[in-house]
Every structure is written in C-alpha cells, then in structure tokens.
Amino acid sequence: MHRTTWAAFSLLVAGVAVLLTIYVVMPNVDERGMDQDLSRAMAVVVAALGTAIGLTGVFYTSAAKARRSLRSLETAVRSRQRRAPDLGGSALVEPLGRAVHDLIDQLESAGQAVVDRQSLQDVLDSMPDSLVVVDEVGVVQLANRTFAERLRYERPAEIVGKTVAALTVEAHPLWYAALLESGTLVAADVTFKAHSGGVVSMKTSGRRLSDSHGGPGRIVLVGRDDAELTTLTQELLETTERLQDSERFFQNLFDAMDDPITVIAENYEILQANRQARLTFGRDIIGRRCYQAFRMRDEPCLECPARMTFAQNMSVSVEHRMFGNAITRISTYPLLSKEGEFKAVINHKRDVTKERQLEDLKVSFLMAVSHDLRTPLTSILGFNKLNIRRLQRHVIPAMAAGPEEARTALKKAISDMEIMASEGERLGRLVNDVLDLSKLEAGKLRLNMEDMDLAPLIEAAIIATSALARDKPILVIPDLPHTCPTAWGDRDRLAQVLVNLLSNAIKFTDHGEVRVSVSVQPTELLVAVFDSGVGIAPDELSKIFERFRQVGEAQAGRTAGTGLGLPICKELITLHHGRIWAESKHGQGSTFFFTLRRTDALSQLERSADLTPHVTTF
Amino acid sequence: MKKRILIVDDDAHIRLLLHRTLEELELQGAEIHFAEDGIDGVEKARALHPDLTILDVMMPRMNGIDACREIRKDPELSSVYVIILTARGQTMPPMDPAFGPHEYMTKPFDPDRIVSRAAELLGFEIDMDF
C-alpha cells in the first residue's frame, strides 16, 4: 500500500520537473545575458528537482528495507515467543538483534515517516522476554515493555537515556565489559536494579552488532526472567547488607574497647587491630609482624602467648613487666572457624599495673597486719596455756583438800581458759586463712606441681582429722581403687583441701560415716568426701563456696570455723585446673567433689607450662 | 659449763612468755639471756656463746634473718643452734643453708613444743606429763 503511494508520488514529482524544464528552462537557452533572477530561480528548481528525485529513491528503498526488517523482526519475535527452553545464546539473539538494529538505523536515517516508531515498539512489546538496546557508549536507546515491567517502570520510555551502569547492581558490571570485549554474551546471570528498589535477575544474552561501516555498533540484550535467581540474588543482597551492618556493628564495638586488641595470624602477621591498638602501636600496624609492632624486635619473642595458643588451641594469659614498672597482661584466645578450624589468635592487652600494685599493697598490708595480730596472739595463747599448766600442776593438787567452792571455781576457771585457748587458736586460723585467700586471689600463691599419689595424702588427712571424730560414733573410711593413676598437683595444698573437707564432714556428722573415695575418669580423678551428717539446704548449697558463709551457723555445739575454708579450697582446686562442687539433701548428708588432672593425660607442654612461673592458663 | 639460751625478740611480752616457758630449764641450771633487736642479739651471742638462740624475724635495727647470718658466719659461734620464729605466710628470703637457721617455728607457737625441743637440744630431761 505505502509502496504504491510512494511510487505514484515520485512519478508525479518527476513529471512536474520535466514540464518545468520544457516550459521554463528550454526557451531561454539561446538568450545570452538572461535575467539573473531567472537563472537563480532555475537553479533552485533544478536543485529542488534533484533533491526530490533523490529523496524519493531513498524513501522508496528505505521503506522497502524497513518493511523487510520489521517483518524479520516479527518473525524473530514469534520464534522467541515459542519460548526456546533457554535463550540459545547468540543464535537467537542474532536475527532479532540484527532486525532491531537495522530498524533503528532506518528510523534514524529516514525519519519517523518511514516506519512508525510506535509499530516497532508494539512489536517489541509483544515479546515475552525483556529486550533492551544500548548504544555504543552504553546508553539505552530502546527497551520493551517486558523489560520496563520487570524493572517496575511505568513506561519503556523511562528507561531510555539511562546508562547500563545505572540499571545494574554493580557499578562496573563484568558481563558488560566481557560483552564489549568479545561481542557476545551467552545466558549470563545479570542482576538489574528495579525502579522501586530491590533487584531482578535475568538470564541475559547479548550481541554487539556492527554498524554500516563495519565498526562497533549497538548492543542488543535479551533477558529472560529468572525468578529463582532473583529471589536468591535478593536474599544474597539482603544477607550481604545484614553482614555489612553486623560487620560495622562489630567494628564499632571492637573500636570502642579501651584496650588494644589485635588479631594475629600464625605467621605473626597482624590481620586486624582496633582503634586503641592503632593509637598505641601506630596506624600502620595492620600487616606488620606482632613482634615488630609490639616489641620492636626482629624475631618472635621467646615467651610468645600467641604461639602457645596456636600450639595448644587454648587461651593463654601472660604478664610482662614492660618499661619501668608497668605490667601488661596479654591474653590470647583461639579464633576458630565454624568448622572448628584454627584461623587466628585474638590478642588482648591490658595494663594491669594499678591492679597489681593494689594487690601487692593489699597482700603486704595483710601480711603486716597479720604479723601484728600474731604477736599479741602469741602472748595471749602462750600465757593462757602456761596458766592452765600452772593451775593444773601446782594449784589443783594443793587445793585437793580445800573448800568445795574454791575447787569448783578453780575448775570453772580452767574450763574457761580452755575456751580462751580454742578461741585464740581460731583467731590464729582466721588470720592464716585471710592471708591465704588474699594471696590466692592476688595470684601470689604459686603451686609446686608434681606427679603424686593420692592414697597416702588421703590417709594422712584422715589421721590429721581423727581427733575431731574421737568423741563421736563416726567411722572415717578411705575408699580407694586398687590401682589409681597419679594426679598432677601440689601435695601440701591438696592436703590442706582434704583436711578442710574432712573436718567439715566430721564436724557436721554426729553418727554414721565419713568416706573419702577416688574414682578414675578418662583424664581426671574424681575425689569425693561423703558424710551421713546434717546435709545442706538447697538455698545454702550455692553459697557455701562464698567467703564468710557458714552453713548451720546457728547450730549450737559445733566448733566454729573461719568461714574461709571452702573458698580457699575452691581457689586451690581452680588453681589446679580442677572443679569443686557439693551435692546434698538436707538431713541426709552431703558429698563434696573435686577433680584433679591425671598426670598421664597431660602433655609435656602442659606440664612444663605449670612449672613456668607467671603463665596461667584459663 | 652452764647451758645458755639467748632469746632475741623486740616484744617484751614474747620475751617474758619465752622466759616463763623455759623456766623449767632454768630450774635445771640453764641460763636465759635476752636481747631486744638483731644487733643486740649478735653482740650478746658473741659475748655469751649460747647453746641455743631463738630469733624473732621482724625486729628494729637488724632483723632475725640478718642476725642469724651474722651468727652463723662467725666461726667462733659454730656450736650455736639457731631457731627462727616466723609467722605463717611470712616470706622467707632464700638462704644459703650454711648461714640459715637450723630450724623454723611458727607463731603462735606451742610453749610445750618449745620447751621440749629446747630440752632435747640442750640435753635436759623434763617431765611433760602432768
């Protein structure tokens, strides 16, 4: 239809041109010096004629080409509508892309009149897949409705003029660079940004087409929605965002710490440092070796806690006396991956100078006080004992025939003096316990660890406490296995613990038995001190290891303790890397348990660590 | 030759307590002498050549540890037996056994133990059974 119209129009213009030539130009050929205006008009007409003929030809051929292109585009679109199982890469994109490319060329060169842009848009909009045409500098020239809808734009025209970078999630999409490089993109996962926020992932194929001169021309992209991929990408992006949030949160937390904290790799490289670490050791600390950054050394330190943590996969704490009198405590913790794989070491430094000075002060104060308490106590106890002896030796025999009243008074005096002696001794024990406990808490008490047999220790403790059970119908029984592995401990301190637990058991048992048993466990020995005594009420059970807490304080007739025995036992057992606890039913006796490490379960390194002063593990 | 005991303590009551405790031995012929600090103690030891010296640790002018070292270093006093009275928990500096005390006793001490130990060292026999 259009073709015929254009042919008729061309013929008409050609006819007018011929007539004009015959009637206006031909009669003046022989007249020299013809009118200037006329000749100018003639030239204009000739020019107009030429242009008209030329244009007609161009219009005609363009229109024919455009029609062909549009038809092939329709064919291509229809073939795509049949929905090939996948995008098929460039084989399918090629004819489609070529058709669109040519059409746009024609639109540009021939103008809107030749092919109605809207009909091209209509054809593209009928595609179920997304289509977008990008010019050679990456600006969108054309997009179809499917693409606009997927990206939640109202009209495809809104996308025109945007750059590829503005439409995709990445600022410099790799796939786009690859497409520019190779000219082809086959079913790549491309994630576009939706207008309303969020993302849309498409399997996208593309083709870079050449222009009419064979140079690089437009890029046609065809994308098929991938709901699964979109969801995955959306989740991935959200997760990444949450991760980034949490990373920011932890970085802030890390930086808010007052102490220098670093993360150190096995090759001693500092991987992470918080603000305080950067302030203390320099901004460039990350990437340096810890021994260089922290101690200005050329090689790893001899007493490296990080190395111990790497070797044994456990936390280590070391105190270093630095320049002057400053004391720094360095604690290292293993940093494990989810699979339990060793990754790095967290290094936490803390200036403990003040704490140590205070502890030293406290201990020396307590030692001075206890010395000053002990001197008068020695006099009181000593003279009291001498007086009892004098009275018993010299006065009682002399009073044998004396008046009844005087003899009774004398007996009462001696009995009261005996109370004074026992209370004085208790005061002495209290002084000792306070001193022991404060030394334990200040870490001033060093254990003399050795490989030791528990049986003789238990027997000795039973003998030492036998006097307490003398006036009661109690049986104190050791219950030991025939063969028992040796324990790793401090003989004197464990004796102290056993005597303490046994005295408590005997003190709170009026009849029945007190039994000390040892059971062998894979890496530990479990020592239990059982009694058939009064037991401990459930609400008191949790408090018995607290200081100055005595169970059954109100119970008359029992020898009062210092209230520090169990706290000392707890500190001593903890120092042995053991645990101590109690189980009891009120009125049905109690059992105190503690564990000790078996020597055969310890590595040489662990044993030597116990022998190394100033290293404590926790 | 009379057995001599030298008690070195800055606390008058402790000196008196030790004196009373060891009265038993005095009755059997031992001599008991006193000094109030380390320097005084070393001087008295050199003058008296005691068989037994009981030293407190914390004393003015010279402490018991240094006094012990002075006495033990003196070849003239090689026969002196030295007991140091220490308080439990008192940190003792490591001492060369050649110059350290022969024995430590912790405060508060048991008078019976002191008297029986002193009797044993000086060769007296006392009746502890009463």
Side-chain angles (χ1 to χ4, degrees), chain B residues 8-96:
Chain B
V8 189
D9 199 310
D10 58 323
D11 190 292
H13 288 148
I14 299 286
R15 288 199 303 272
L16 182 63
L17 175 64
L18 284 166
H19 189 185
R20 293 263 196 271
T21 306
L22 299 171
E23 256 174 359
E24 195 88 9
L25 304 182
E26 210 174 21
L27 290 173
Q28 293 193 35
E31 270 180 27
I32 300 180
H33 299 268
F34 301 94
E36 293 177 21
D37 60 54
I39 290 177
D40 190 17
V42 175
E43 277 173 11
K44 293 241 165 80
R46 283 186 180 135
L48 298 164
H49 288 78
D51 301 276
L52 171 64
T53 298
I54 298 172
L55 289 166
D56 184 28
V57 177
M58 277 167 77
M59 289 185 292
R61 298 213 294 165
M62 183 191 277
N63 66 33
I65 305 285
D66 292 341
C68 174
R69 193 177 290 118
E70 287 298 307
I71 292 169
R72 299 273 277 133
K73 256 181 8 191
D74 193 331
E76 302 252 309
L77 298 177
S78 57
S79 62
V80 181
Y81 193 91
V82 181
I83 292 175
I84 284 189
L85 291 177
T86 119
R88 197 184 124 112
Q90 214 163 36
T91 345
M92 287 293 140
M95 286 181 85
D96 184 336

Side-chain angles (χ1 to χ4, degrees), chain A residues 374 382 389-390 393 436, chain B residues 20 24 88 112 127 130:
Chain A
R374 250 185 268 258
R389 192 202 286 176
R390 279 194 198 104
R393 245 192 192 180
D436 270 1
Chain B
R20 293 263 196 271
E24 195 88 9
R88 197 184 124 112
D112 288 349
D127 171 26
F130 45 81

